[in-house]
């Protein structure tokens, strides 16, 4: 790209020099031809004039020599000398020569009176040195331009070859690009980012959502017992918006209002019950998915203080008792005084300045 731009700039400079050298001529070759023709015409005119002057000088010198020779012999004219000194053959030969010289002189004088030669002779002598330098410069510019043209043609040929090869490579890569587009679409679909994925659920979230539905169904059984049939846990797969992904959200269906709402709208006690129900539902699902492997021990840490006194605590404890009656061990971690009265088997922690002490009792009566 940079080499091509530099070549283009150099070519433009060469073109400008060529244009200046043309001096209005249709082409650089025509300009050179015009200058050469003018120089040749001037040379011919000068040669003709020089020959004519030389012929006049020779004729005048010959006449003067003949007159001097006739005077030396006491003759009164060159004609008398010619008649006396030569015989008929010599005279004929000399007359022929004279006629030849006269004809050449007439021809030269006629040529000298030609309008083109007259106009050229009337003009000041051309500066042949400057014209020769201009011709050399024009030829140099022409050579540079020819070199630039050759390089440009070579680049054009190379670019055409590269374009052909590129087109062939694109044709060969078309199946690969189609497969890439298909794989990319499948990848985006699996990641939940494709427009074809209306729910914006990733493949991993979709697999987990199937398990979450089972957990929600098992947890609903527990939550219905704890909430006296009011709340159900539902799996929500339509919560993906913007850049967020959907598929792993839950909603709470309230049988009293008939609406489903976000878990964050539950009170503290309701949230505790829903969380406990989900933990129990997860334990049930793990048992079902592991070939009957049971989770025999379950610890529930805190949260009981958030339960109200309208029978909610009783419902929760009843659900936990049902687990215990099924052969499981359920441990509760709490500071609620009522639990200390209702739970017979306890492990207490006695806090003192020197540290905490565990006080274990196999059974503590209510």
């Amino acid at each position: 790209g940079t080499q091509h731009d530099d070549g283009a700039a150099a070519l433009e400079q060469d073109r400008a020099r060529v244009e200046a050298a043309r001096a209005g001529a249709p082409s650089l070759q025509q300009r050179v031809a015009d200058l050469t023709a003018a120089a040749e015409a001037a040379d011919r005119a000068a040669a003709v004039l020089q020959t004519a002057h030389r012929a006049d000088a020779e004729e005048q010198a010959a006449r003067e020599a003949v007159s001097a020779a006739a005077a030396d012999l006491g003759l009164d004219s060159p004609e008398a000398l010619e008649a006396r000194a030569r015989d008929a053959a010599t005279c004929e030969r000399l007359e022929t020569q004279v006629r030849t010289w006269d004809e050449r002189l007439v021809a030269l004088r006629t040529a000298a009176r030609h309008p083109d030669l007259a106009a050229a002779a009337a003009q000041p002598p051309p500066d042949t040195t400057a014209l020769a330098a201009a011709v050399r410069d024009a030829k140099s510019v022409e050579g540079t331009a020819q070199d630039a043209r050759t390089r440009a043609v070579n680049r054009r040929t190379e670019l055409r070859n590269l374009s052909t090869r590129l087109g062939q490579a694109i044709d060969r890569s078309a199946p690969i690009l189609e497969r890439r587009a298909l794989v990319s679409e499948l990848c985006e679909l699996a990641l939940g980012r494709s427009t074809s994925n209306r729910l914006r659920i990733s493949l991993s979230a979709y697999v987990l959502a199937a398990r979450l539905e089972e957990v929600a169904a098992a947890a609903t059984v527990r939550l219905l017992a704890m909430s006296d049939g009011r709340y159900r846990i539902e799996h929500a797969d339509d919560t993906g918006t913007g850049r967020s992904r959907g598929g792993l959200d839950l909603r709470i269906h309230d049988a009293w209002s008939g609406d489903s709402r976000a878990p964050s709208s539950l009170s503290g006690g309701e949230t505790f019950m829903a969380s406990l129900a989900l933990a129990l539902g997860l334990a049930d699902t793990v048992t079902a998915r592991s070939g009957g492997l049971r989770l025999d021990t379950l610890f529930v840490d805190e949260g009981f203080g958030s339960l109200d006194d309208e029978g909610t605590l009783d419902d929760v404890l009843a659900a936990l008792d049902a687990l215990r009656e099924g052969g499981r061990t359920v441990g509760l971690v709490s500071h609620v005084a009522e639990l200390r009265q209702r739970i017979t088997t306890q492990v207490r922690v006695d806090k003192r300045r020197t540290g905490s002490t565990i006080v274990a009792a196999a059974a503590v009566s209510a």
Side-chain angles (χ1 to χ4, degrees):
T2 304
Q3 184 178 4
H4 182 270
D5 294 340
D6 294 341
L11 182 59
E12 289 299 325
Q13 292 178 358
D14 293 340
R15 286 177 175 174
R17 295 179 59 190
V18 169
E19 184 67 22
R22 284 196 304 110
S27 64
L28 185 61
Q29 291 80 1
Q30 185 62 42
R31 175 61 177 170
V32 172
D34 292 343
L35 293 175
T36 303
E40 292 176 352
D43 290 339
R44 289 196 301 270
V48 170
L49 292 176
Q50 185 177 4
T51 301
H53 291 316
R54 187 169 57 252
D56 288 341
E58 290 176 354
E59 180 185 8
Q60 183 65 31
R63 292 183 181 278
E64 291 177 355
V66 171
S67 298
D72 291 340
L73 294 175
L75 300 177
D76 57 357
S77 66
E79 290 78 6
L81 177 63
E82 183 178 2
R84 180 179 178 182
R86 295 176 177 83
D87 55 16
T90 303
C91 290
E92 184 177 357
R93 179 176 57 83
L94 292 176
E95 289 178 357
T96 301
Q97 291 181 353
V98 171
R99 285 195 299 271
T100 302
W101 281 101
D102 289 340
E103 291 174 355
R104 291 183 58 190
L105 180 60
V106 171
L108 292 175
R109 287 177 176 176
T110 301
R113 289 194 296 271
H114 192 277
D116 293 339
L117 293 179
Q123 294 180 357
D127 188 353
T128 56
T129 302
L131 291 176
V135 170
R136 288 194 300 271
D137 292 341
K139 289 182 177 180
S140 176
V141 172
E142 181 184 14
T144 303
Q146 290 292 344
D147 293 340
R149 180 183 179 278
T150 301
R151 291 194 298 270
V153 170
N154 293 336
R155 290 195 191 100
R156 182 186 63 182
T157 302
E158 184 178 357
L159 287 175
R160 286 178 175 175
N161 294 334
L162 291 175
S163 177
T164 301
R165 292 172 55 189
L166 178 61
Q168 294 172 350
I170 291 175
D171 293 339
R172 291 194 301 269
S173 64
I176 300 175
L177 294 176
E178 291 178 359
R179 292 180 58 190
R180 178 184 179 277
L182 177 61
V183 172
S184 297
E185 176 63 20
L186 288 176
C187 179
E188 294 296 310
L189 184 65
L191 293 176
R193 297 196 296 243
S194 173
T195 55
S196 302
N197 192 331
R198 295 183 299 101
L199 300 179
R200 301 184 64 79
I201 302 176
S202 64
L203 181 60
S204 59
Y206 179 79
V207 175
L208 293 176
R211 299 289 183 267
L212 184 58
E213 287 183 354
E214 297 179 7
V215 174
T220 295
V221 176
R222 304 291 184 179
L223 185 58
L224 286 173
M226 295 180 195
S227 63
D228 195 19
R230 179 179 179 182
Y231 295 120
R232 302 174 63 90
I233 298 179
E234 299 176 339
H235 170 242
D237 59 1
D238 58 349
T239 57
T241 58
R243 295 186 177 180
S244 63
R245 303 288 175 262
L248 296 179
D249 290 323
L250 297 173
R251 292 187 183 277
I252 303 300
H253 180 75
D254 190 344
W256 290 6
S257 65
D259 297 328
S260 296
R261 50 197 173 101
S264 59
S265 64
L266 296 176
S267 65
E270 293 169 342
T271 300
F272 173 73
M273 288 192 300
S275 300
L276 180 59
L278 283 172
L280 299 177
L282 179 60
D284 293 339
T285 302
V286 170
T287 299
R289 287 286 178 179
S290 59
L293 180 63
R294 289 168 50 85
L295 296 178
D296 293 329
T297 304
L298 177 66
F299 284 91
V300 181
D301 186 6
E302 288 298 346
F304 295 95
S306 62
L307 300 177
D308 54 37
D309 56 356
E310 296 181 357
T312 304
L313 180 59
D314 294 335
D315 293 336
V316 172
L317 292 178
L320 295 177
D321 285 340
L323 292 175
R324 186 171 57 82
E325 291 173 358
R328 292 176 177 174
T329 300
V330 180
L332 305 181
V333 181
S334 178
H335 295 84
V336 179
E338 185 176 352
L339 289 178
R340 290 199 299 269
Q341 297 175 2
R342 300 179 61 169
I343 305 299
T344 57
T345 301
Q346 302 177 4
V347 176
R348 295 183 180 180
V349 179
D350 185 11
K351 295 187 295 183
R352 297 181 181 180
R353 290 179 178 273
T354 56
S356 299
T357 302
I358 297 177
V359 179
V364 180
S365 59

